[in-house]
Amino acid sequence: MPNIKVFSGSSHPDLAQKICDRLGINHANVVAQKFANGETNVEIRESVRGEDVYIVQSGCGEVNDNLMELLIMINACKIASAERVTAVIPVYPYSRQDKKDKSRAPISAKLVANMLSVAGADHIITMDLHASQIQGFFDIPVDNLYAEPAVVKWIKENIPEWKTAIVVSPDAGGAKRVTSIADRLNIDFALIHKERKIANEVASMVLVGDAKGKVAILIDDMADTCGTIVQAAQKLVEDGATMIYAILTHGIFSGEAIARINSSCFEAVVVTNTIPQDKNMMLCSKIQVIDVSMMFAEAVRRTHNGESVSYLFENVPY
C-alpha cells in the first residue's frame, strides 16, 4: 500500500505487528526511549513527508507514559510534514472520567481529547468507548469500532447452548450493548442493578430478568478489578444459572482481578486483544482472547482508501 506508514507505540507492539501483517506492509521504524530523568524521547527514523500516518498506541499498562509517548509521536509526525496523522487507540485512556458525577470532579476524557487534537491528530480510531458521547469531545472525526460482531461470532462458535442462553449486563450502563447483542442472537437479556457506596466497590445487587436453568453470558465493555463481574456471576448462580461466561472488550485486570477470576465460577472470561493478555493467560486458564486486529487493519485500510468504515459495525472482516 503506497503512502501509508504504521508506527507502533510501546504499549502494544504485538497488535501493531498483526495490523501490519494483515495490511501486508512492514511497520515503520520508530524508537521510543526514556531519558535518565524519565522524560520520553521519540525518534521517527524514516521520512513521513506527505504520507498517511497511523500510530497504534493503547491506553493500558503505564497509561500516562503511553499517552505522553503517543502525543509526542503525533507531534513529531505532524511537524515532519505528514499529510494526515491518525491515532489508533484500541483502549481510550481516562474514558471512565467522562462526566462530573460529583462536584469538582474532572472530565479527564475531554482533556485527553483536547491534548490529542492539539498534538496534531487528524483522525481517531478506537474501540468500544466507555461512553460513545466521548466522540463529541473531539472536533475531528472519530471512528468508534465495535467488538460486537466479533463477540457474536465467538458466542455462536464456542457456546453450544447459545440459542437458549441469556445475555446479562452487570450494570444499567451496559444495557444498550446487551440488548443489541440479544437482538442479533434473538435471545433473552437481563440486567443487574447495583448500588455503589465508594468507587470500585459494589454494595448490593439485584437481578432484573430470569436466568434460572440457563447459560448466562455477562457482557461489559471493560473489566478492571473484576469486582463487579465476579459478584454478578455469584448473583446469577444464586438465581439458578447453569453456566456462566463473561465477555469483556477491554481486559485491564488490575489489582486482585486475576485471583478473583481464578476463584470464581466462570467457565471462561473472554476478552479482546486491545490490551496485551499473554501474561494474564499464563496466570489464569479461564482467560480466552478474541483477536480484533483484523478490524483495526480493515479500518486503517478503508480510511486510507477513502472507503466507508460502517461495514465493520455489523460484520467481522475475514
Side-chain angles (χ1 to χ4, degrees), residues 125-146:
I125 297 174
T126 182
M127 179 169 267
D128 273 1
L129 283 170
H130 190 61
S132 48
Q133 293 90 312
I134 292 173
Q135 293 171 84
F137 291 169
F138 290 89
D139 291 328
I140 55 175
V142 178
D143 283 320
N144 179 27
L145 304 176
Y146 299 121

Side-chain angles (χ1 to χ4, degrees), residues 221-275:
D221 66 320
M222 60 167 70
D224 189 351
T225 54
C226 289
T228 307
I229 61 157
V230 168
Q231 261 189 287
Q234 208 54 52
K235 181 75 188 146
L236 286 163
V237 168
E238 286 165 26
D239 286 32
T242 53
M243 279 160 84
I244 299 167
Y245 294 87
I247 304 182
L248 317 148
T249 308
H250 309 303
I252 301 167
F253 300 140
S254 49
E256 297 285 296
I258 298 295
R260 279 183 182 144
I261 292 172
N262 276 328
S263 59
S264 71
C265 49
F266 289 114
E267 291 295 315
V269 173
V270 184
V271 292
T272 67
N273 60 344
T274 52
I275 294 174

Side-chain angles (χ1 to χ4, degrees), residues 43-190:
E43 266 180 62
I44 308 285
R45 292 193 170 171
E46 53 188 88
S47 169
V48 293
R49 185 178 295 274
E51 302 275 7
D52 192 7
V53 173
Y54 294 84
I55 301 170
V56 182
Q57 180 81 303
S58 207
C60 57
E62 295 287 334
V63 178
N64 299 325
D65 285 356
N66 290 339
L67 176 59
M68 199 64 211
E69 184 181 287
L70 172 63
L71 296 168
I72 294 170
M73 284 173 81
I74 291 170
N75 194 248
C77 290
K78 201 69 191 168
I79 60 178
S81 306
E83 178 71 24
R84 177 173 64 176
V85 180
T86 300
V88 180
I89 313 175
V91 182
Y92 186 84
Y94 292 94
S95 64
R96 283 175 284 186
Q97 298 181 32
D98 58 352
K99 58 184 173 294
K100 284 188 76 163
D101 48 4
K102 51 184 185 286
S103 48
R104 297 175 298 283
I107 305 179
S108 314
K110 168 69 172 153
L111 176 63
V112 171
N114 290 344
M115 286 158 72
L116 287 163
S117 301
V118 169
D122 299 297
H123 181 197
I124 307 287
I125 297 174
T126 182
M127 179 169 267
D128 273 1
L129 283 170
H130 190 61
S132 48
Q133 293 90 312
I134 292 173
Q135 293 171 84
F137 291 169
F138 290 89
D139 291 328
I140 55 175
V142 178
D143 283 320
N144 179 27
L145 304 176
Y146 299 121
E148 186 183 297
V151 166
V152 168
K153 181 168 174 269
W154 189 92
I155 291 173
K156 287 181 173 172
E157 288 172 2
N158 295 280
I159 302 180
E161 318 80 6
W162 67 269
K163 287 183 177 166
T164 55
I166 183 167
V167 279
V168 185
S169 170
D171 57 19
K176 208 171 175 182
R177 185 178 294 108
V178 165
T179 48
S180 171
I181 288 176
D183 286 348
R184 286 182 68 159
L185 292 169
N186 199 15
I187 57 179
D188 291 337
F189 75 93

